[in-house]
Amino acid sequence: MRLSRYFLPVLKETPAEAQIASHRLMLRAGMIKQASAGIYSWLPLGYRVLRNIERIVHEEQQRAGHIPVLMPTLQSADLWRESGRYDAYGPEMLRIRDRHDRDMLYGPTNEEMITDIFRSHVSSYKDLPMTLYHIQWKFRDEVRPRFGVMRGREFLMKDGYNFDLTKEDALHAYNRHLVSYLRTYERMGLQAIPMRADSGPIGGDDTHEFLVLAETGESEVFYDSEITDLKFGDREIDYDSVEQCQSVLEEFTSRYARTDETHDPAIFDQIPEERRRVARGIEVGQIFYFGTKYSEPMGATVQGPDGKPVAVHMGSHGIGVSRLAGALIEANHDEKGIIWPWEVAPFHVGIVNVKQGDATADAACEALYKELTAAGLEVLYDDREERAGAKFATMDLIGLPKRITVGPRGLEKGVVELTDRRTGESEEIKPELVAAALT
Ligand code: 5CA
């Protein structure tokens, strides 16, 4: 992408309404624009990041054997009356009446709708296990939408739902989700710690939240510092294997890690003092096992092996896709701007032409731009008639992992400069070696 033809409305001033770094930086880097309280448009740079997050979530869900679908944002109130949640949900639910006076709502989550799909089409235990998921916009009329996309009213969520014959099978689905989430967050360059939590309006017995540690996090968390040494890494997992998923769950949840809702000082105090940590965290996902809470009232049964109908055991599993864009910035920024991890970066590399209009510099930039793009990299070429200082400031603000600086002086020596955004380290390199250095 050539910056002269792109739409990157960066702000010079720090917006007064933004209280935390990620919100400030998303506005300043032209990633989002508020449409109304807690509702945002995603501008080109932000949209690229959102799509990268979605892509990783899709890939990891499908690796775990989960099946993508897409359900609508608007739902019929009647479905929610069946589960009893239409009245129970309260003012967070945005209720709408259509021209025929039918009660509708903008979905805050999809347990009822997916259960309806399931009961309409699945009737035998032989079709189980099954996990369906989608990535779709949700609406929750939060009292205090704040921190930009971190606590929005409209937000993008991946929500997945497992259907199993027995509680044991459903707990395997729960563990499978836990493993797939560990992989998902790590691929984004984030450490998200699974912590025992409270189930809230979704209901259920078993639930873990995934928290990214950050000073500006909304939840208070208590954990054993040893947990932050755990890495999922590139281990191969057979998601069908009950033992393998169970052993990952045990590895990542034996040590103490809890949110304030489930914190137990008596247990916490038994951890050696130097390992006890109290911090803040951003919740980027949550998994629930709730058994037959929806399948029973809604009649989602299958014929079991003995021919008798059985209400299916379910769970639901969410990832805050749009919130992750903010959480990633909270975890990756400095005083100059954002520092994107490679996998989610809107572009991998930026080319800064320090002397636009100089024939040699322009030709070298064009050649690099074409070559790097052909090598499969996403490249943003700053070809504007701007001062070099302003170009550097923009690149630092938008946080591309690598920057290539091209100018007549370097080219005379046969080199360009390759800079790493995170470390700030630069090296002189022959232009023809740049592609190999980045791929
Ligand atoms: N049905 C279940 C699981 S699919 C569910 O709704 N879970 S949830 O309420 O925990 O939401 C899942 C994730 O969505 C949360 O972990 C959080 O990361 C994200 N999320 C929830 N509310 C908001 C919000 N107001 N703004 C941005 N993200 C949110």
Side-chain angles (χ1 to χ4, degrees), residues 41-52:
S41 297
W42 291 76
L43 304 182
L45 196 78
Y47 187 44
R48 288 182 81 100
V49 172
L50 192 66
R51 281 200 323 221
N52 286 340

Side-chain angles (χ1 to χ4, degrees), residues 3 27 35 45 84 97 173 177 179 184 192 225 229 340 391 430:
L3 192 44
L27 291 170
L45 196 78
R97 187 158 292 164
H177 278 89
V179 176
T184 302
S225 66
D229 297 334
W340 289 114
K391 291 188 177 188
K430 291 187 181 144

Side-chain angles (χ1 to χ4, degrees), residues 264-297:
D264 184 340
I267 311 177
F268 190 57
D269 289 347
Q270 288 165 18
I271 303 167
E273 201 175 346
E274 68 278 8
R275 286 186 2 217
R276 273 180 243 154
R277 297 283 186 281
V278 181
R280 302 201 71 81
I282 302 166
E283 180 204 322
V284 292
Q286 185 160 9
I287 54 177
F288 301 85
Y289 163 73
F290 46 68
T292 58
K293 178 175 156 85
Y294 299 91
S295 57
E296 235 162 62

Side-chain angles (χ1 to χ4, degrees), residues 109 111 140 142 149-152 155 157 159-161 202 283-286 288 316-320 323:
T109 177
E111 281 80 5
R140 293 182 187 172
E142 305 270 354
V149 300
M150 293 273 236
R151 181 162 296 280
F155 59 96
M157 191 204 286
D159 41 325
Y161 305 85
I202 308 294
E283 180 204 322
V284 292
Q286 185 160 9
F288 301 85
S316 71
H317 314 279
I319 293 183
R323 174 179 288 184

Side-chain angles (χ1 to χ4, degrees), residues 291-320:
T292 58
K293 178 175 156 85
Y294 299 91
S295 57
E296 235 162 62
M298 295 184 66
T301 57
V302 291
Q303 196 176 46
D306 58 3
K308 294 200 183 112
V310 194
V312 288
H313 285 257
M314 293 174 61
S316 71
H317 314 279
I319 293 183

